[in-house]
Amino acid sequence: MTQEKSCACSTAPKLIFSCSGGADVGAVADLTARKLTRDGVGKMFCLAGIGGRVSGIVKSTEAASKILAIDGCPLNCAAKTLKEAGFNDFVHVRLTDLGCEKGNTPVEDDQVAAMAQKITPLFSE
């Protein structure tokens, strides 16, 4: 049985912004965002561009149908960056709330897969 793919060009993108901090949970957050992109859940976008107020990135984000912020720890850098740029309507996920422990989380494929599996339904609703 073949499945017909539909064109998504007429729909606004679902954008994913991630912490990419120096801690292990930041690395897992970044890799999780990349996996969610590969899995077709949304499209990873540039958080630094939001912080730097890069006009094209801000305009694309304004046009998004849904926004996801993935933070590694309670500092909430991704969420705070989006809020500082005027974005307040987004799904926010913190990996430490999903079982990761800052300074004690292996940056491994199985950890990334587990986080992606937990986040997908939260962003797909």
Side-chain angles (χ1 to χ4, degrees):
M1 175 182 225
T2 61
Q3 289 185 330
E4 192 173 314
K5 291 188 177 187
S6 62
C7 175
C9 55
S10 63
T11 60
K14 291 170 63 175
L15 299 180
I16 302 169
F17 294 90
S18 174
C19 160
S20 297
D24 50 3
V25 290
V28 172
D30 178 87
L31 293 171
T32 299
R34 293 173 191 282
K35 177 168 178 33
L36 292 170
T37 298
R38 285 191 308 275
D39 292 349
V41 174
K43 178 183 177 186
M44 187 176 185
F45 223 52
C46 184
L47 185 63
I50 294 293
R53 306 298 196 278
V54 176
S55 64
I57 292 173
V58 171
K59 287 189 185 311
S60 293
T61 305
E62 289 169 347
S65 64
K66 201 165 187 179
I67 299 170
L68 170 64
I70 304 173
D71 274 305
C73 74
L75 293 176
N76 296 328
C77 297
K80 287 178 180 176
T81 300
L82 287 166
K83 286 180 182 177
E84 284 291 321
F87 297 99
N88 296 299
D89 185 19
F90 56 87
V91 176
H92 180 227
V93 177
R94 187 182 310 117
L95 298 189
T96 53
D97 292 343
L98 299 178
C100 291
E101 181 183 345
K102 189 173 184 176
N104 198 29
T105 296
V107 182
E108 298 173 349
D109 290 343
D110 59 336
Q111 184 67 46
V112 170
M115 292 300 103
Q117 185 175 20
K118 289 180 180 183
I119 293 170
T120 296
L122 302 174
F123 192 51
S124 298
E125 298 172 342

